[in-house]
Amino acid sequence: MNIEGNEYVRFRFGIWPEERVYPSRLFESVNSYLLDRVRIMTTSLRIFKLPCQRKNPRASVLFLHPAMLSHNPPSFSLMGDCIGDESSADLMALLERPAEAGGDEAEAAAVVERRMTMRKARRWEMKERRKVKEYPPPIPLLARTENLQSHMPWVLQRTYTSDGRLILSEEPVRHHEYFRASRRDGRLTLQLVLLDDEAHRDFQVAESEAEADQLDHRDDCSQCQEAEGESWEDKISSSQGDYPDESRDLMPAAVEKGGSGVGKFLNVYDITGGVNVGGELNGFGPLDHDVPSFTSYPSRLMLVNFLRVKRIFVHGKESFPASLIYRSFHLRLFSSMKKDIQGNVLSGLRTSESVAEHEEEKCSTANAQSTPEIEKKYVHRVYDAIAPHFSSTRFAKWPKVAAFLGSLPLGSLVLDAGCGNGKYLGLNPDCYFIGCDISAPLIKICSDREHEVLVADAVNLPYRTGFGDAAISIAVLHHLSTESRRKKAIQELVRVVKVGGLVLITVWAAEQEDKTLVTKWTPLADKYAEEWVGPSSPRARSSPSLTLESIPEAEDKGFKEKEINLPEDSKVLPEMSPSRQREINIDNQQEYFVPWHLPYHRAEVGGASAYAVESGLAKKDDKKGAVVYNRYYHVFCEGELERLVSGMNNVTVVDRFFDKSNWCIVIEKSC
Amino acid sequence: MRLLTHNMLSCNVKGVTNGFPLIIQADKVLEKPAELNHDFLRNMFYKVDWKALVDAAKSMGYSELPESAEASMLESLDFLNRFHHALMELHLEEGALICPETGRKFPVDKGIPNMLLHEDEV
């Protein structure tokens, strides 16, 4: 089938919306349909769906019109990136153009068809206008683009000039994580809450709370909602009474989706009638409302759909399940983007589906394998940020490790889990080394030195069982924040070596030879989470799973270090009140923040440090001329390593020793 | 990434029972000469999954390895050279490793495989 000229091609999708189809999936199917079976004659084409017919809401009609883009008014391309309800108006205008030029019979039929749909579309549009009374308000758009770092949010300010032109201006905003929600006169107002609690820059993000709106949507979309809505609708009805009307309710503006690197973050924000422009993101609408949301991949693809978000309180925990409600959509394809589309759609699909799941995940108890927030924030991110400087200071090979590696048989395969900058890789030229670390920047340094390395988590090694001849874990386990994770890391080391293979593990000792060193560390109190994120931060409240109550208190009473003074450096902890500091029990203290001073001349190398300072991950210390990062450490007591391995039945302890303030253990896999 | 590493790697996504061998998607392959270490090769011969190595070498464009191998072949210098070349000198510089069970793709960027899992995979 060819699509040429001004013809409209009508597609009927039998499965939709009878079956549960996500917009992105539908798009995918449209896309593959087009690419597989249709020779697209024009370089650009546009697909859009007109509103469902009232009588038969299931009949969904897709129109393709290749000529539409060529008729675009100049403003349209602008709005392609950022489009609100205006799109409907523009769309109608576009629809009318071919009608004027209609000639032959086929065209006439198409015109009739078009007029019918136009009429419906107008009705729909009128209804939309009624619903959105004062639209458009100046809605700032929190956004993220491909080119910007994920930590640099900006808002897109939309203003209208007197002659009706739409002005878009970008305005960078400080890093922030939360919205403060309040209701005034039935309008939901969201304000960005800055991390440093400076004077708030208020952004009236949205208006909402129009009952008619809600009813209308319910009415129209009931068919479409059914499939997706059902699962959580019940919960809502039971908990709706808990919906907070008062201000001071905070909801996440940015939710970290996990993983590392750009694109792994799920930005969550409000979007009444508004627009999201950005990379891989999805939006939260005003609470209790179906709102049109635009999930847009800049200049590539625009999906218009409805996102319903409700706030639920179950057992004192709040969550924001979101579901996409299919209502109408606009797809905009550019021929040059054909290849990109599928991937984008799939990622979009994942994102949208996982919003609700994400919240559930947050509430579930973290198992040994999932990385606690403290490790991400105070180990992984710190090492990522300080990698080059860290590496430049890590060259002295520890004699005990060298001796262990030297004692291995010729031709052994040695696996280094948590290899850092790889200073032990290749130490014995008769052996072969494979290193892994969770920090990609450190692994990059290893790779530049021609070491065989990969990025992997020491708690979950991607290796076959019994492949290695020996394994080492040097100064790694003390960065794991729970006992189960430390144990799992040892089990992984044992798993990957052959029977009879040796494993060397070294960790920092609580019994430091240089006592003054300990005074430079910041002991962590029992209630870790509060100090880490600050008592005023809502994270501690909204994400109870992030607390680390599972960290066992020190059991070894043998070590007491009463002479420890409260460190001056404890100032680096945000919002740590003096009274709180006094409460810290320094006896048996095993949980510390250990500072890393990144000199200014190095800190200036990348933007990472500036961001770290801004976000509170690091502090500037002008006296020392350095950016101070905190690294999380769980220092080990005497006998703690043995205790960890004592429960493993396939392990025998070959050697244990204390050396240079480290506890070390050599174990053998016995069966 | 050398094929030695490939022969050791296994998909560790939660619930995967047969994550080995990972399928190689080779976008760019490099050959870097390496010193032949007899002890190491003999040691590795008993560890490597031969079929996985042969298939991996083929997907990297090297098909000089015999389909099956026995320990007696280690006496042949020619065999050792080929084994060494496949195991140690072929580098997957750009591409991906794909889990045979789930199709999960682990990217290989500048010779570095990224085997980190997403939170919902552990």
Side-chain angles (χ1 to χ4, degrees):
Chain A
M1 169 168 42
N2 291 335
I3 307 168
E4 286 178 271
N6 286 344
E7 261 178 18
Y8 279 89
V9 180
R10 200 166 106 163
F11 291 91
R12 277 188 193 279
F13 284 84
I15 55 157
W16 179 84
E18 282 82 351
E19 288 181 18
R20 174 176 167 165
V21 177
Y22 287 92
S24 43
R25 273 203 196 125
L26 179 67
F27 171 56
E28 193 190 345
S29 64
V30 172
N31 186 33
S32 62
Y33 186 90
L34 290 176
L35 295 186
D36 290 346
R37 291 173 230 176
V38 182
R39 295 281 141 250
I40 299 169
M41 304 303 288
T42 55
T43 51
S44 55
L45 89 126
R46 186 172 174 81
I47 309 169
F48 61 94
K49 177 190 166 291
L50 291 171
C52 303
Q53 297 171 29
R54 269 238 177 245
K55 288 177 191 168
N56 183 9
R58 285 172 183 238
S60 48
V61 184
L62 288 168
F63 287 92
L64 284 179
H65 191 250
M68 294 193 79
L69 276 179
S70 60
H71 290 154
N72 275 353
S75 68
F76 208 85
S77 58
L78 177 67
M79 293 206 296
D81 275 356
C82 175
I83 198 162
D85 274 4
E86 305 88 351
S87 62
S88 309
D90 268 57
L91 215 83
M92 293 309 119
L94 287 168
L95 271 169
E96 274 163 351
R97 283 173 190 274
E100 292 157 16
D104 56 41
E105 280 180 21
E107 190 67 21
V111 168
V112 173
E113 172 77 40
R114 248 185 345 262
R115 283 189 182 148
M116 290 296 288
T117 48
M118 272 166 51
R119 211 168 294 159
K120 283 164 201 154
R122 282 215 185 95
R123 277 211 299 271
W124 178 71
E125 194 193 344
M126 292 294 284
K127 206 167 65 187
E128 286 292 318
R129 278 194 193 145
R130 276 204 307 279
K131 277 184 288 190
V132 188
K133 281 164 196 159
E134 289 176 340
Y135 188 80
I139 298 173
L141 305 159
L142 178 64
R144 164 181 305 171
T145 69
E146 297 173 309
N147 299 328
L148 290 172
Q149 294 291 312
S150 59
H151 51 74
M152 279 296 293
W154 48 278
V155 295
L156 201 57
Q157 194 79 36
R158 305 200 308 174
T159 49
Y160 287 80
T161 58
S162 52
D163 58 356
R165 279 185 301 141
L166 171 67
I167 308 273
L168 300 170
S169 57
E170 278 179 37
E171 195 178 358
V173 292
R174 299 286 302 271
H175 180 76
H176 61 273
E177 286 184 342
Y178 292 92
F179 283 130
R180 179 168 285 127
S182 59
R183 278 176 191 279
R184 274 197 306 267
D185 303 321
R187 289 161 73 104
L188 178 71
T189 304
L190 301 178
Q191 299 168 335
L192 302 179
V193 178
L194 301 177
L195 279 187
D196 48 7
D197 265 340
E198 280 175 11
H200 294 160
R201 294 169 63 171
D202 294 358
F203 295 106
Q204 184 151 332
V205 177
E207 67 153 74
S208 69
E209 193 76 16
E211 285 80 7
D213 186 337
Q214 196 174 355
L215 287 173
D216 267 332
H217 282 292
R218 285 266 165 82
D219 190 12
D220 265 3
C221 303
S222 54
Q223 296 285 345
C224 318
Q225 287 169 18
E226 255 174 30
E228 290 158 32
E230 253 171 14
S231 55
W232 45 272
E233 197 118 38
D234 295 346
K235 279 194 282 181
I236 290 164
S237 57
S238 63
S239 61
Q240 216 154 18
D242 293 333
Y243 184 78
D245 279 337
E246 298 303 313
S247 58
R248 287 178 288 103
D249 284 294
L250 296 162
M251 62 186 223
V255 173
E256 188 181 327
K257 197 176 171 293
S260 60
V262 178
K264 301 288 183 195
F265 289 83
L266 187 68
N267 220 9
V268 177
Y269 46 87
D270 180 271
I271 29 149
T272 300
V275 182
N276 302 344
V277 178
E280 188 177 318
L281 53 80
N282 213 301
F284 270 6
L287 308 178
D288 270 342
H289 274 273
D290 305 338
V291 293
S293 82
F294 294 61
T295 303
S296 157
Y297 303 92
S299 315
R300 289 188 184 179
L301 154 70
M302 183 173 65
L303 291 176
V304 182
N305 47 48
F306 287 81
L307 190 68
R308 169 186 273 192
V309 179
K310 297 231 176 182
R311 189 174 207 171
I312 296 178
F313 287 85
V314 181
H315 306 305
K317 287 175 183 169
E318 60 181 359
S319 60
F320 298 86
S323 78
L324 281 173
I325 294 165
Y326 200 98
R327 190 178 154 91
S328 70
F329 72 100
H330 300 210
L331 299 180
R332 188 165 172 176
L333 318 187
F334 293 89
S335 56
S336 61
M337 301 291 176
K338 276 179 206 161
K339 283 180 186 167
D340 298 337
I341 286 163
Q342 190 134 342
N344 278 329
V345 167
L346 288 176
S347 63
L349 177 66
R350 262 202 305 278
T351 312
S352 55
E353 277 180 325
S354 57
V355 173
E357 292 164 13
H358 180 75
E359 294 300 329
E360 284 165 23
E361 275 168 27
K362 274 170 76 176
C363 295
S364 68
T365 317
N367 61 17
Q369 305 230 357
S370 65
T371 313
E373 202 68 8
I374 186 169
E375 289 177 35
K376 284 186 206 160
K377 200 168 174 185
Y378 291 104
V379 181
H380 303 169
R381 284 191 208 162
V382 173
Y383 278 110
D384 284 354
I386 67 174
H389 182 237
F390 174 80
S391 175
S392 69
T393 64
R394 288 295 177 278
F395 46 83
K397 273 82 174 178
W398 205 27
K400 294 276 186 181
V401 179
F404 171 81
L405 294 175
S407 70
L408 297 173
L410 296 180
S412 290
L413 178 66
V414 184
L415 307 176
D416 187 348
C419 64
N421 68 339
K423 67 174 177 170
Y424 293 110
L425 302 176
L427 201 57
N428 181 349
D430 294 321
C431 294
Y432 190 77
F433 291 78
I434 297 177
C436 75
D437 202 286
I438 203 162
S439 167
L442 283 172
I443 282 296
K444 178 75 174 55
I445 291 169
C446 299
S447 177
D448 290 343
R449 295 174 180 174
E450 301 285 316
H451 293 307
E452 184 76 3
V453 285
L454 54 128
V455 182
D457 188 351
V459 181
N460 193 8
L461 291 172
Y463 301 162
R464 281 206 279 156
T465 299
F467 199 80
D469 294 304
I472 56 173
S473 162
I474 310 299
V476 176
L477 257 55
H478 51 227
H479 284 312
L480 301 177
S481 60
T482 67
E483 180 155 328
S484 61
R485 285 172 62 75
R486 295 188 279 268
K487 210 168 197 169
K488 177 72 168 37
I490 299 178
Q491 280 166 345
E492 281 291 89
L493 289 164
V494 173
R495 179 182 71 80
V496 299
V497 298
K498 65 180 182 184
V499 172
L502 296 177
V503 177
L504 168 69
I505 299 166
T506 79
V507 290
W508 280 23
E511 301 83 346
Q512 289 288 309
E513 287 168 346
D514 181 1
K515 295 279 193 284
T516 60
L517 202 60
V518 184
T519 62
K520 294 181 175 139
W521 301 348
T522 310
L524 299 179
D526 298 342
K527 302 286 180 196
Y528 310 96
E530 243 179 62
E531 278 77 16
W532 287 337
V533 294
S536 66
S537 165
R539 175 174 284 178
R541 184 182 61 98
S542 62
S543 311
S545 67
L546 298 183
T547 63
L548 292 168
E549 287 150 356
S550 52
I551 294 183
E553 280 305 291
E555 290 167 17
D556 191 333
K557 304 283 180 191
F559 173 60
K560 290 191 196 297
E561 200 163 22
K562 293 216 166 60
E563 67 272 22
I564 293 180
N565 296 315
L566 281 171
E568 289 178 9
D569 280 9
S570 62
K571 288 190 198 106
V572 298
L573 277 178
E575 287 107 35
M576 193 174 186
S577 66
S579 60
R580 205 77 190 91
Q581 287 180 2
R582 274 195 296 277
E583 282 175 36
I584 295 174
N585 178 11
I586 55 174
D587 292 343
N588 308 316
Q589 182 67 42
Q590 284 186 278
E591 317 296 328
Y592 287 99
F593 274 149
V594 178
W596 180 273
H597 293 90
L598 186 64
Y600 280 161
H601 66 271
R602 299 200 68 109
E604 286 158 14
V605 170
S609 290
Y611 166 61
V613 170
E614 201 168 283
S615 66
L617 185 62
K619 294 273 168 180
K620 280 187 171 180
D621 186 339
D622 286 330
K623 272 188 202 164
K624 289 178 177 159
V627 175
V628 184
Y629 284 87
N630 273 322
R631 287 173 297 161
Y632 165 78
Y633 274 80
H634 165 89
V635 291
F636 281 64
C637 295
E638 183 174 12
E640 192 173 342
L641 272 176
E642 289 90 323
R643 186 164 52 76
L644 282 180
V645 302
S646 63
M648 305 175 193
N649 51 17
N650 58 345
V651 167
T652 34
V653 177
V654 176
D655 195 9
R656 45 155 291 188
F657 52 94
F658 179 84
D659 188 46
K660 295 201 167 42
S661 302
N662 280 264
W663 286 112
C664 313
I665 193 168
V666 180
I667 52 180
E668 182 182 338
K669 185 173 181 176
S670 51
C671 60
Chain B
M1 185 202 72
R2 293 181 165 95
L3 290 191
L4 165 68
T5 307
H6 169 261
N7 214 287
M8 175 178 70
L9 288 180
S10 172
C11 175
N12 56 347
V13 170
K14 187 183 181 184
V16 169
T17 52
N18 189 20
F20 176 85
L22 295 163
I23 300 156
I24 294 181
Q25 174 199 317
D27 295 337
K28 186 180 173 192
V29 177
L30 291 184
E31 289 186 23
K32 295 181 193 168
E35 204 176 318
L36 193 147
N37 181 332
H38 288 266
D39 293 320
F40 180 64
L41 280 183
R42 287 201 179 83
N43 179 17
M44 293 315 295
F45 181 80
Y46 298 100
K47 284 179 187 291
V48 295
D49 183 303
W50 190 259
K51 187 174 180 314
L53 180 66
V54 172
D55 290 347
K58 275 184 190 159
S59 64
M60 303 264 281
Y62 183 75
S63 48
E64 306 286 310
L65 287 178
E67 288 296 330
S68 61
E70 308 162 17
S72 62
M73 295 166 91
L74 286 171
E75 303 305 316
S76 152
L77 195 61
D78 179 51
F79 172 79
L80 277 182
N81 276 330
R82 290 178 189 196
F83 182 34
H84 171 71
H85 181 72
L87 197 68
M88 306 298 287
E89 294 186 327
L90 290 178
H91 288 256
L92 179 62
E93 188 70 5
E94 301 288 341
L97 303 172
I98 300 162
C99 171
E101 192 173 311
T102 60
R104 162 74 151 91
K105 223 178 206 186
F106 299 95
V108 178
D109 183 24
K110 296 189 177 65
I112 305 170
N114 187 336
M115 302 297 291
L116 282 184
L117 302 179
H118 303 309
E119 257 169 36
D120 51 355
E121 292 175 329
V122 295

